[in-house]
Amino acid sequence: MRIDVVTIFPAFFDVLEVSLIGKARERGLLDVRVHDLRQWTHDRHRTVDDTPYGGGAGMVMKPEPWGEALDELAPVDAEARPTIIFPSPAGELFRQSTARELALHEHLVFGCGRYEGIDERVFEDAAARGSVRLISLGDYVLNGGEVAAMAMIEAIGRLVPGMVGNPASIVEESHEDGLLEYPSYTKPAVWRDRAVPDILLSGNHGAIAQWRAQQQLERTRARRPDLLPE
Ligand code: ADE
């Protein structure tokens, strides 16, 4: 999978080198390229924003550098159309199902804007080049799209076929089946007077599966009732 990231803060993405994603890059499963939006500016100050038409607080990102960035990374006449993602608190919510779907795409382009926003015409221009998605990490506001893009790249990247050592560990984790994960234990069987639940030492796989499913339900009911059907 190829991922292009356009940002005015490329350094945010340096940590991609050290994580699981870094290993995938080394193994050639993920080709992540980070681009500084300012390389597509032409004035002495490398300006990327300006005051909003109609007034109001904050600055809006200018369309021209974004247009040139997209000309290069997602040309209009290209055969393959990338999915162009703009992290935004005004977008659809990012879920595990979103990550799963996006992990099947060949080419993702992340456009990281500051939170006051990007000139709206950029989204229209982008729609001529690929399928455009505005995606929110959650109902809170970050200073820009970078941290959100990082989170999405990690969630998507680990689902790319061949990425995680044991695919079963993905299937059993929180959110994959719509519920929170069951509690996990390892040795020693007693630690600081706290014992591992007997059932897990019983060797009865059917009973263990049932106990885990019950734990998942109870946790989800307590912590995330919104995930359960009415
Ligand atoms: N940019 C600013 N806040 C954001 C959020 N919650 N999700 C995605 N991108 C953002």
Side-chain angles (χ1 to χ4, degrees), residues 186-196:
T186 186
K187 293 178 265 306
V190 179
W191 174 72
R192 296 189 176 177
D193 291 333
R194 295 171 195 277
V196 171

Side-chain angles (χ1 to χ4, degrees), residues 86-89 113 115 135-145 148 152:
F86 293 98
S88 163
Y115 80 83
I135 306 184
S136 171
L137 209 56
D139 293 335
Y140 42 82
V141 178
L142 306 166
N143 277 331
M152 292 187 226

Side-chain angles (χ1 to χ4, degrees), residues 14-44:
D14 287 353
V15 291
L16 283 175
E17 304 288 341
V18 296
S19 57
L20 184 71
I21 302 290
K23 298 211 178 71
R25 287 176 89 169
E26 280 167 26
R27 285 160 52 202
L29 289 171
L30 271 186
D31 177 9
V32 186
R33 303 180 198 178
V34 181
H35 312 271
D36 188 341
L37 178 68
R38 292 189 201 276
Q39 78 187 75
W40 291 289
T41 59
H42 303 288
D43 63 311
R44 205 154 56 87

Side-chain angles (χ1 to χ4, degrees), residues 70-71 74-81 128-129:
L70 292 171
D71 285 343
V76 176
D77 51 10
E79 236 173 75
R81 287 164 54 91
R129 307 152 179 287

Side-chain angles (χ1 to χ4, degrees), residues 167-214:
S169 71
I170 284 185
V171 175
E172 286 193 7
E173 66 202 6
S174 287
H175 297 295
E176 273 301 332
D177 59 3
L179 298 172
L180 302 188
E181 201 174 11
Y182 54 76
S184 300
Y185 301 86
T186 186
K187 293 178 265 306
V190 179
W191 174 72
R192 296 189 176 177
D193 291 333
R194 295 171 195 277
V196 171
D198 285 336
I199 183 88
L200 297 177
L201 307 176
S202 70
N204 182 339
H205 298 297
I208 291 171
Q210 214 176 4
W211 179 84
R212 285 177 167 166
Q214 184 62 30

Side-chain angles (χ1 to χ4, degrees), residues 85-94 111-118 123 133-149 152:
I85 299 169
F86 293 98
S88 163
E92 56 171 307
L93 199 57
F94 185 74
C112 302
R114 46 187 300 161
Y115 80 83
E116 292 92 341
I118 300 173
F123 307 120
R133 305 269 292 263
L134 270 69
I135 306 184
S136 171
L137 209 56
D139 293 335
Y140 42 82
V141 178
L142 306 166
N143 277 331
E146 283 77 12
V147 169
M152 292 187 226

